[in-house]
Amino acid sequence: MRLRVLLIVLLTFLLAAPAMAVDRLVLATTTSTANTGLLDVLLPAFTKHSGITVHYIPVGTGKALAIAKRCDADVVIVHAPALEERFVADGYGVDRQALMHNYFVLVGPPGNPAKVQQAGSVVDALKRIAQAKAPFLSRGDNSGTQVKELALWKAAGIKPDWPGYREAGRGMGPTLTMADELGAYTLSDIATYRKYLSTGRISLVILADNQDLLKNPYSVILVNPAKCPKVKYDQAKKFEKFLLSPQGQEIIADYKADGKKLFWPVHPPK
Amino acid sequence: MDFFLGGLTRGLGLLINLDPEVYGIAWLSLRVSLSAVILAALAAVPLGLVIGQREFLGKRFLVVLFNTLLALPTVVVGLVVYGLLSYHGPLGGMGILYTPWAMVAAQAVLAFPLITALVIAAVITLDNRVGPTALTLGATPMQAAWAVLREARFAVLAALAAGFGRVITEVGAAIMVGGNIRHYTRTFTTAIALETSKGEFAQGMALGFFLLVVALAVNLASHQLQARWK
């Protein structure tokens, strides 16, 4: 039967073709490091330096840590200090190191219904939004950005519970688009906001930027080999050392998207 | 309007420019989804034949069960397969999480109930004398089953096409167990999800257009096969 022969040939071909088993380091990380393109510059440089291939899984900070807890990653790069501290305290992570930072921005509709003062303090801005009971869209997905947002409300002494405060349950890009359409305020990482603004997709404006409270620190944490015996600790350690080396830090410092600097390394090159 | 036109022209551009990354994505999608459908079909087609042609206790229950499984959300299948393949899962020792194999497994699980249900539907309406007649004419049980399959060939091929459509378009399971790793487990759908989340809507539309072209090619090929297999 010709058909049967054809099927068998096709199946063998398809199943044999993928060269599957690879020696690699699995990096679970936040969408912001991946979507900006930083990792596509940083990882090839490390591979060239060490011969080690790194595969990154772009998910939110919460999910990245959950993956690492189940021993499905060797190393994480995340940005939610409170979650990171718990991750290390619970024994899942070791060798946590500060890597770089950038800033979150508070953005809102150009009409600015809550009369938030431009370039004022973020705490003051949140107070005005709460007072006006203006619409505010939260990520609502346990991402680093949402963790930061909740910490900011706490710093402002406000419990965001008015009807206009909503949770999108989606990534940064879709949340920005929704906020734009709802005329809502929201907290965003700078890179995603710039990208969406440059495509003309949104008209939200920056209301607060570049202040200590809005600092967005990224850390690198290795998965604890005592909890996960199969984890590639030595290679992951090499990767961490490379990220913090003058070469790695310089790549981060020099990285630009649309002509603008996006990340500030912890050890800025002289 | 330029939203759609931009996507379309960019899609054509992707097709023509032979961008190696995009062709890599197309090739991987095709390979993973075809493998998944063939693997699922190896189990689903015989099972559907048996359930559809034989009378036995619990047959109705099985038919209802397979029809219900059609409602399985892809993300749930992704979660279940992730749980199985994860380091702490029962199949963790295989070490195939975040590889194309994991996606093949998840998509095969997705396609299996769909193909089974459609094969049951195809052979249940068939004249149930085909099998016995073949047997009385001296066919072995295998040959009799083959005769039934031949009678239902168009519906069976439609079932395979539906299975392929289901798995090449799903994103929930592929992103969960494949991890959307660049140059390794990034398929059409996970790439579209990524581009959309980055705000690169035109690129997302373009990839969607490309996916349709690939699906068209696959369906043309299977149609060709159908026409020959008379």
Side-chain angles (χ1 to χ4, degrees), chain A residues 1 6 11 13-15 18 20 22 24 35 40 55-58 67 70-72 195-196 201 229-230, chain B residues 31 34-35 38 82 86-88 97-101 179 181-182 184 194 196-201 225:
Chain A
M1 193 72 222
L6 187 80
L11 187 69
F13 168 68
L14 286 168
L15 292 182
M20 298 291 190
V22 286
R24 47 119 185 233
N35 286 3
D40 294 330
H55 277 168
Y56 65 87
I57 320 278
I67 286 172
R70 293 187 56 92
C71 308
D72 292 326
K195 186 97 213 175
Y196 268 62
R201 204 79 63 204
K230 271 202 174 165
Chain B
R31 221 166 59 187
L34 277 180
S35 307
I38 293 171
Y82 170 76
S86 168
Y87 177 74
H88 285 306
L97 186 68
Y98 303 135
T99 69
W101 279 113
I181 297 165
R182 194 175 180 198
Y184 189 59
L194 179 74
T196 310
S197 82
K198 285 200 291 195
E200 302 281 3
F201 292 0
L225 199 70

Side-chain angles (χ1 to χ4, degrees), chain B residues 5-62:
Chain B
L5 280 178
L8 197 67
T9 42
R10 239 170 120 165
L12 284 171
L14 285 183
L15 274 171
I16 297 160
N17 289 340
L18 291 164
D19 178 343
E21 178 156 9
V22 174
Y23 273 81
I25 287 173
W27 175 226
L28 179 77
S29 295
L30 196 63
R31 221 166 59 187
V32 165
S33 295
L34 277 180
S35 307
V37 167
I38 293 171
L39 277 181
L42 286 178
V45 172
L47 185 66
L49 265 181
V50 169
I51 296 177
Q53 285 277 295
R54 293 267 175 88
E55 293 304 325
F56 55 90
L57 195 72
K59 172 171 170 161
R60 279 190 181 188
F61 170 74
L62 275 182

